[in-house]
Every structure is written in structure tokens, then in C-alpha cells.
């Protein structure tokens, strides 16, 4: 976890431990919300990776029924998440596991359901024969799953970038500041976590970096049109692609 310099005086006071103007939420509540946000971001990343791993299948021009059903997606999402976090969300014991905060025990399944719904609604596109590129890619999946999840909970989950291709992923002022701060830092597993709005809201941003597979659409030469009809950004492997932004309201006494 890291903190970046863009902080209000009240937020800064909370982060470094100086008594703020208004009482900060209990540390336990913040810790639970932060871990929940981290796991939500990791789970959305897992879903994106599953789509990426099945991209060749999805875009197979000769095959009709791909067998990439919501149930198959769910199983693969569980596997990737377990590999990356050590947590098996498919196991009944996860409901009482100390590794999963109580807040996350309802939110993580809700995100899984949102992801399955996205895959379900995309079946007609995914299984269409005779068409290669279908624009069902990790970024498309991530945006749609995050939007569905956010509508079903009080937690806002979002993909964002400094110059997003999808206008719905446009960063707010806070997100833009964090993205610019992250852009000058190397690829790492670090994430940003801060209290905002006088401690009433926890914001967590987990960076996404370009992988080699991303460069077919986002790499060189900059300005060239890619298969999806956008101009390439000229990115290199390891460059900041954007971030998963999580905004959790904290209830205070």
C-alpha cells in the first residue's frame, strides 16, 4: 500500500495519524474496507485475465459454440483468483475465513455474479461464426462487470485511465491525480489507499500495466489504427494502462 502526495489537509492528518478536524472511522473499519477494496480489484483483474486467456477462442472465426459459458467463466475466475490471492471463493469455508473480511463476503460473490451476467449477455456475440474480432476483450468485460456491480451495491467499482477509450471510464479529479502520480512509477503490486471526504470515504486504486498481449492494440506505432478502430497509444510492456478504482463509503458513529 502506498499514499500519493495529492491529499487534503484533513485526509493527510488521517493518513499520518494526526488528529483530524472530524473523528476518523475506527481503524478496524478502515482495515476491513481496504482489504475488501483490494480483493474486489483483484477479482475484477482475475475476470479480465480469464477473458484474455480465452481471447483466441472467443475470436475463432470458424467455430460457433465456443463453450465459454458463464459457468466455465466462473470456474476459471475462481482458479485465477485463488492463484493470485490464496483464497478459494468456491469453498464454503470462505464465509468464515479470517482472510476474507465480513464486508467482502457479500461483495465478492456479487462481483462474480455481475461478471457471469456480462458473459451470459455476450453469448450471441461470442458464439457468432464467421466473425473474428468481436470486441469482447478484457477492457470491455471489466467496464461492463464493474458497472453492473456498482449498480447493485453501495461500492463504486470502475476501470479508469488517463486517456480512456471508453468515455464512461473517464477519471474524476482524484483518479486523474493518482493516475498521473502512478505513471511515473515502475510496474509493481503496490496500490494507493486513502481516506477522503473528511474520512467518510475510502478510495483505493490498483494500477493496471500493459502486458505484451495488450500491445497489438495499444503499442507501436503510435497513431496507427488498431483492429478495434482506435488509434494506438504507442505503449510499451510495463507502462501504466490505467487502474481499477474502488470507492467505499464508511459508516461512522
Amino acid at each position: 500500500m502506498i499514499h500519493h502526495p495529492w491529499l487534503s489537509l484533513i485526509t493527510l492528518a488521517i493518513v499520518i495519524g494526526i488528529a483530524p478536524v472530524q473523528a476518523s472511522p475506527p481503524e478496524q473499519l478502515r482495515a476491513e474496507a481496504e482489504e475488501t477494496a483490494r480483493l474486489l480489484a483483484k477479482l475484477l483483474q482475475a475476470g479480465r485475465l480469464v477473458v484474455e486467456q480465452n481471447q483466441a477462442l472467443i475470436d475463432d472465426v470458424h467455430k460457433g459454440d465456443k463453450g465459454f459459458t458463464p459457468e466455465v467463466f466462473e470456474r476459471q475466475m475462481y482458479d485465477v483468483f485463488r492463484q493470485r490471492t490464496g483464497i478459494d471463493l468456491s469453498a464454503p469455508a470462505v464465509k468464515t475465513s479470517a482472510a476474507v473480511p465480513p464486508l467482502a463476503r457479500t461483495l465478492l460473490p456479487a462481483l462474480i455474479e455481475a461478471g457471469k451476467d456480462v458473459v451470459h449477455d455476450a453469448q450471441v456475440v461470442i458464439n457468432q461464426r464467421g466473425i473474428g474480432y468481436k470486441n469482447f476483450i478484457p477492457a470491455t468485460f471489466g467496464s461492463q462487470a464493474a458497472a453492473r456491480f456498482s449498480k447493485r451495491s453501495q461500492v463504486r467499482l470502475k476501470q479508469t485511465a488517463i486517456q480512456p477509450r471508453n468515455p464512461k471510464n473517464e477519471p474524476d479529479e482524484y483518479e486523474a491525480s493518482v493516475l498521473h502520480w502512478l505513471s511515473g512509477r515502475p510496474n509493481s503490486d503496490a496500490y494507493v489507499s486513502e481516506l477522503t471526504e473528511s474520512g467518510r470515504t475510502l478510495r483505493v486504486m490498483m494500477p493496471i500495466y500493459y502486458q505484451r498481449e495488450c500491445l497489438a492494440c495499444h503499442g507501436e506505432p503510435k497513431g496507427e489504427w488498431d483492429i478495434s478502430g482506435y488509434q494506438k497509444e504507442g505503449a510499451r510492456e510495463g507502462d501504466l494502462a490505467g487502474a481499477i478504482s474502488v470507492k467505499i463509503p464508511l459508516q461512522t458513529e
Side-chain angles (χ1 to χ4, degrees), residues 177-190:
S177 175
V178 174
L179 286 167
H180 282 291
W181 186 76
L182 287 169
S183 64
R185 282 157 177 78
N187 187 336
S188 73
D189 290 331

Side-chain angles (χ1 to χ4, degrees), residues 54-119:
N54 287 275
Q55 199 68 69
L57 173 65
I58 292 169
D59 292 341
D60 189 333
V61 69
H62 303 294
K63 192 170 185 178
D65 186 356
K66 308 296 194 303
F68 187 61
T69 63
E71 292 72 28
V72 169
F73 164 81
E74 180 182 23
R75 289 196 299 270
Q76 294 183 11
M77 190 176 187
Y78 282 145
D79 289 343
V80 172
F81 186 76
R82 183 177 63 251
Q83 292 165 9
R84 295 193 160 198
T85 66
I87 299 172
D88 185 359
L89 292 178
S90 65
V94 77
K95 295 180 180 179
T96 57
S97 171
V100 181
L103 179 62
R105 293 172 195 168
T106 56
L107 292 176
L108 292 173
L111 179 53
I112 291 169
E113 288 304 312
K116 288 174 64 180
D117 288 347
V118 170
V119 175

Side-chain angles (χ1 to χ4, degrees), residues 17-39:
I18 301 173
V21 175
Q22 296 183 10
S24 63
E27 189 59 30
Q28 182 178 355
L29 177 61
R30 182 206 169 133
E32 177 181 333
E34 183 175 303
E35 180 62 6
T36 298
R38 189 186 74 85
L39 292 176

